[in-house]
Amino acid sequence: AFFIGLGFFFAVLGLVSAPILPASRILFAWSFDQLIPRRFASVSDRRHTPVFSLTVLCALTVAVAALDTYFSSVLGSFLATTLIVAIAFLPNGVTSVLLPLRAKSVFQGSPSTVRKTMAGIPVLTLSGLVHTLGLGAIITLVFLNPASAGTSTGTLSYGALAVVVAGLVVSVIFYPVAKAVRKHSGIDLSLVFKEIPPD
């Protein structure tokens, strides 16, 4: 029983740490593009990593883990984790599909591995299509089988859907609000990728 528990402990650590690293890079990129405070883009001279971003994410992870541990029966009914994760990563696939078509200069300026094609179609577009269809299928299956939504109650309640919708609304208005705030400070965020090459 001890080794089973120990194995479960290390498995959970792996699951927790896996999203923390890319999430800290997302905060770094947002900060580098001046969407959020510059502190999140600070890099440690000693460790060459965004220590501040990692610290903030670790603190938030601990807080969420504590809430999930002690209040899972209450909060769990509002968190449709499967649906939230699928919707959160769906835009990545859509972006991969559209990038070679809508932003050709950015695509052509990418590393050669990104510009590879298969039967004349960019591999990036094909992989993005698989990604989009796969997550789209997961979202559809969640509504067909609410027990797989990831809530503690095994149901997809109005509360859980409200949390999902609220997250989508916040994500949609985040950039326009940040752009307006920065414009008031004399910074035009629409010039970010026009002034700094994506590669």
Side-chain angles (χ1 to χ4, degrees), residues 7 9 15 33 35 70 85 100 107 120 122 124 135 139 147 152 161 166-167 170 172 185:
F9 171 77
L15 291 172
D33 292 341
L35 291 170
Y70 296 105
V85 171
F107 177 69
L124 183 66
L135 289 178
I139 293 170
S152 61
L161 290 175
V170 170
V172 169
S185 304

Side-chain angles (χ1 to χ4, degrees), residues 20-103:
I20 285 179
L21 289 176
S24 68
R25 271 54 180 178
I26 292 171
L27 290 181
F28 179 92
W30 284 357
S31 179
F32 190 78
D33 292 341
Q34 302 186 47
L35 291 170
I36 59 177
R38 291 173 182 258
R39 182 72 186 276
F40 287 93
S42 61
V43 177
S44 168
D45 293 331
R46 180 182 178 186
R47 303 191 180 278
H48 307 292
T49 56
V51 174
F52 181 76
S53 293
L54 283 169
T55 302
V56 170
L57 283 169
C58 286
L60 292 174
T61 300
V62 170
V64 171
L67 289 172
D68 185 56
T69 300
Y70 296 105
F71 301 100
S72 60
S73 59
V74 178
L75 297 177
S77 60
F78 294 95
L79 300 177
T81 52
T82 305
L83 193 58
I84 291 171
V85 171
I87 292 176
F89 286 98
L90 183 65
N92 296 344
V94 176
T95 302
S96 298
V97 172
L98 297 179
L99 180 67
L101 306 174
R102 299 295 302 275

